[in-house]
Amino acid sequence: VDATIQFLGAAGLVTGSSYLVTATPAKFLVDCGLFQGEAAADRRNYRPFSYDPAKINFLILTHAHLDHCGLIPKLYRDGFRGKIYSTPATLDLAKAILTNAAQIQEHGVTDKQLEALFIKRDATNSFKLFETYEYGKIFSPAPNIKVKFSDAGHILGAAIVEVWLKQTKLVFSGDLGNSPVPIMRDPATISEANYVICESTYGDRLHEAPATREKNLLAAIQQAAKDNAKLIVPSFALERSQDLLYTINNLKNSGQLPNISVILDSPLASEITDIYKRYTRLFDADFQKYLRTDRDLFDFPGFRRARTTLQSKALNEMPGAAVIIAGSGMADAGRVQHHLLHQLGNSKNQVLFVGFQTPGTLGRQLVNRAQQVRIFRQRVTVKAQIKELGAFSAHADQKGLLNWLSGFTTRPTIFLTHGENEAREALAKEITTQLKLKPIIPSMGEYQRLA
Ligand SMILES: [Zn+2]
């Protein structure tokens, strides 16, 4: 086939995922993600697309994280009217995520002196373009092109995407899940491909053992209870918050949790938790087992949600110990900033990061042990204890990535994307020595011919 792939984002960084595949006469995208983190990344979102959105036939969406779906409303605004293919759960999550993103866009305008990237109407209109397929179903979005989704084990609905272009087969890893993790199944093994486009977020790292994670989470909660202090957990609304609630729920069921209030202070995480409750059939064997004795694995005595701004603000004055889970996960926006502003100055309080912190974010400054940070133009001295729980990552580590790649029996060409360069290079080295394959590290905007 006469086909090319162009790497439009997530090359040398972990955000802005987007690939343009041209397989004449079809032109399609895999993902259309937002760039996140540094100001330079933010500016990238405002540039016109390097292609004409009206000429794209369809879009395949791997999952509902913003760095994969966040520019879909802009794509619609700029003329894209093709179909968007995803799993049903991804559509439900994308609706919540993109509606929230549009609200942030609409409200953030005056502050940043930038025009909104898109408005709520663009998001709502783009939802009408979706057509959904369950894992395992093969569908044909254009003549001579077939597509199949498999469980990527990353977040609810996340897919590994197999694409057949006549004789050439591409496999997009999307974001691959960490194994074993609570709730999610392991990433599906795929054995055949000519080309594999593989993420590499943690290509240079190994996560802590899962048992360590639960132990460390429990230890932080116990310490908060003992010190009568706050444990602030900046958390991504999607997946990480549900993962935390599920883990704390299980600690409660096994009688290990001290008596402490646990508060979810994120309307978006709250909405997404309700979506998770609708798709429990997709979750792993442990989840199914626990479900037999506890009908709601995201709720437990002592747990409540702060819904309104007033309820959120009241938490600042609330005496006593509490676990406060609030967005955003990198502390660069959202209600967690208010909690950090109020709680960072107390050395008894703890801040527990549970995911990757992109350079340029407040979260990254804190995990890098900044003595002082700025929140809402105020200087805040950091006295609270800053901790990290690496293994709560929803991404496969180096071993997980190598394990998934070793499932291919056809010696595919591997493109490493969705990772900072050190991560990509470290993973490439391991692939070369362990799998005897020579992966390609594409740069932003690069084209590759697909034979
Ligand atoms: Zn993701």
Side-chain angles (χ1 to χ4, degrees):
V1 287
D2 182 22
T4 59
I5 182 168
Q6 190 187 8
F7 300 86
L8 297 169
L13 36 117
V14 298
T15 66
S17 271
S18 193
Y19 309 101
L20 173 63
V21 179
T22 306
T24 315
K27 248 181 187 318
F28 64 92
L29 293 171
V30 175
D31 290 342
C32 190
L34 195 71
F35 292 94
Q36 292 168 295
E38 286 149 286
D42 208 46
R43 279 196 298 275
R44 257 192 207 118
N45 296 317
Y46 288 86
R47 286 189 208 149
F49 291 110
S50 62
Y51 48 83
D52 179 358
K55 296 213 169 93
I56 302 294
N57 302 102
F58 59 92
L59 161 69
I60 301 169
L61 178 60
T62 61
H63 65 289
H65 271 147
L66 262 190
D67 62 314
H68 292 257
C69 73
L71 289 182
I72 287 176
K74 181 185 166 194
L75 194 71
Y76 180 92
R77 189 200 65 194
D78 291 359
F80 173 74
R81 294 295 183 271
K83 280 195 172 138
I84 302 173
Y85 298 98
S86 78
T87 64
T90 292
L91 170 57
D92 284 350
L93 292 171
K95 281 180 176 171
I97 293 281
L98 291 173
T99 303
N100 180 263
Q103 278 160 358
I104 292 170
Q105 283 294 326
E106 289 179 4
H107 292 136
V109 189
T110 44
D111 232 70
K112 290 186 177 171
Q113 299 299 324
L114 285 171
E115 126 192 46
L117 261 177
F118 51 82
I119 56 171
K120 207 169 155 198
R121 196 178 54 233
D122 303 319
T124 312
N125 282 331
S126 72
F127 302 154
K128 294 174 192 149
L129 304 178
F130 275 78
E131 189 170 306
T132 62
Y133 290 91
E134 301 280 356
Y135 295 134
K137 291 260 185 318
I138 295 178
F139 59 95
S140 182
N144 297 317
I145 299 178
K146 288 196 176 64
V147 175
K148 184 170 118 181
F149 295 135
S150 298
D151 197 339
H154 169 60
I155 58 165
L156 174 61
I160 296 166
V161 182
E162 293 171 81
V163 181
W164 288 266
L165 309 169
K166 289 188 184 163
Q167 281 88 358
T168 304
K169 186 185 173 194
L170 314 182
V171 175
F172 294 85
S173 71
D175 286 357
L176 284 177
N178 185 7
S179 166
V181 288
I183 307 178
M184 304 307 300
R185 292 176 178 154
D186 287 352
T189 304
I190 312 287
S191 58
E192 287 181 8
N194 300 100
Y195 297 93
V196 178
I197 297 86
C198 185
E199 71 123 317
S200 56
T201 315
Y202 287 105
D204 57 348
R205 263 180 277 181
L206 296 174
H207 297 320
E208 305 164 56
T212 318
R213 169 186 51 198
E214 203 174 284
K215 216 178 77 207
N216 291 349
L217 176 65
L218 178 62
I221 297 173
Q222 283 167 333
Q223 191 189 320
K226 192 176 89 321
D227 291 347
N228 206 27
K230 301 290 183 294
L231 172 62
I232 309 292
V233 188
S235 179
F236 303 89
L238 174 49
E239 204 278 331
R240 209 62 44 86
S241 295
Q242 292 74 41
D243 194 347
L244 282 163
L245 292 181
Y246 173 75
T247 305
I248 300 171
N249 179 81
N250 289 349
L251 288 169
K252 186 85 186 177
N253 284 349
S254 62
Q256 297 176 80
L257 198 74
N259 207 359
I260 191 167
S261 301
V262 178
I263 299 132
L264 181 63
D265 187 17
S266 162
L268 181 60
S270 209
E271 184 183 353
I272 288 170
T273 303
D274 291 334
I275 296 172
Y276 264 64
K277 290 182 188 185
R278 295 208 299 268
Y279 285 96
T280 54
R281 65 188 162 82
L282 295 178
F283 301 146
D284 70 6
D286 277 347
F287 194 101
Q288 307 304 334
K289 189 178 80 190
Y290 299 144
L291 210 50
R292 275 180 240 135
T293 50
D294 179 355
R295 282 180 50 215
D296 191 341
L297 297 174
F298 300 107
D299 198 0
F300 46 89
F303 172 68
R304 65 191 164 93
R305 310 182 189 200
R307 293 176 194 274
T308 63
T309 314
L310 217 63
Q311 287 170 339
S312 176
K313 278 186 180 152
L315 298 174
N316 295 329
E317 314 302 330
M318 184 181 69
V323 179
I324 300 172
I325 302 168
S328 71
M330 299 190 197
D332 51 347
R335 291 181 176 181
V336 78
Q337 292 200 315
H338 294 272
H339 298 300
L340 292 173
L341 182 67
H342 284 87
Q343 312 294 353
L344 277 176
N346 183 338
S347 62
K348 292 226 170 208
N349 292 334
Q350 306 167 75
V351 182
L352 185 65
F353 286 95
V354 290
F356 185 78
Q357 303 299 311
T358 298
T361 58
L362 175 58
R364 181 74 159 232
Q365 291 172 45
L366 288 170
V367 299
N368 283 350
R369 299 291 181 267
Q371 309 265 308
Q372 271 201 337
V373 292
R374 289 182 87 81
I375 304 174
F376 305 126
R377 301 198 177 88
Q378 290 181 52
R379 225 183 270 277
V380 184
T381 302
V382 182
K383 292 197 181 133
Q385 305 155 56
I386 309 296
K387 298 180 175 174
E388 281 181 273
L389 269 193
F392 258 106
S393 175
H395 285 271
D397 63 5
Q398 186 184 70
K399 201 165 143 245
L401 291 165
L402 285 166
N403 182 45
W404 185 74
L405 285 169
S406 72
F408 290 93
T409 55
T410 52
R411 302 194 55 77
T413 300
I414 298 169
F415 298 113
L416 294 181
T417 60
H418 202 284
E420 290 177 10
N421 281 331
E422 306 89 84
R424 296 202 291 174
E425 275 150 26
L427 182 62
K429 212 175 124 214
E430 294 303 317
I431 292 171
T432 310
T433 49
Q434 295 187 35
L435 306 180
K436 311 282 182 247
L437 293 170
K438 266 213 145 330
I440 295 168
I441 298 183
S443 50
M444 190 88 84
E446 184 172 327
Y447 283 90
Q448 287 277 344
R449 271 193 82 76
L450 305 171

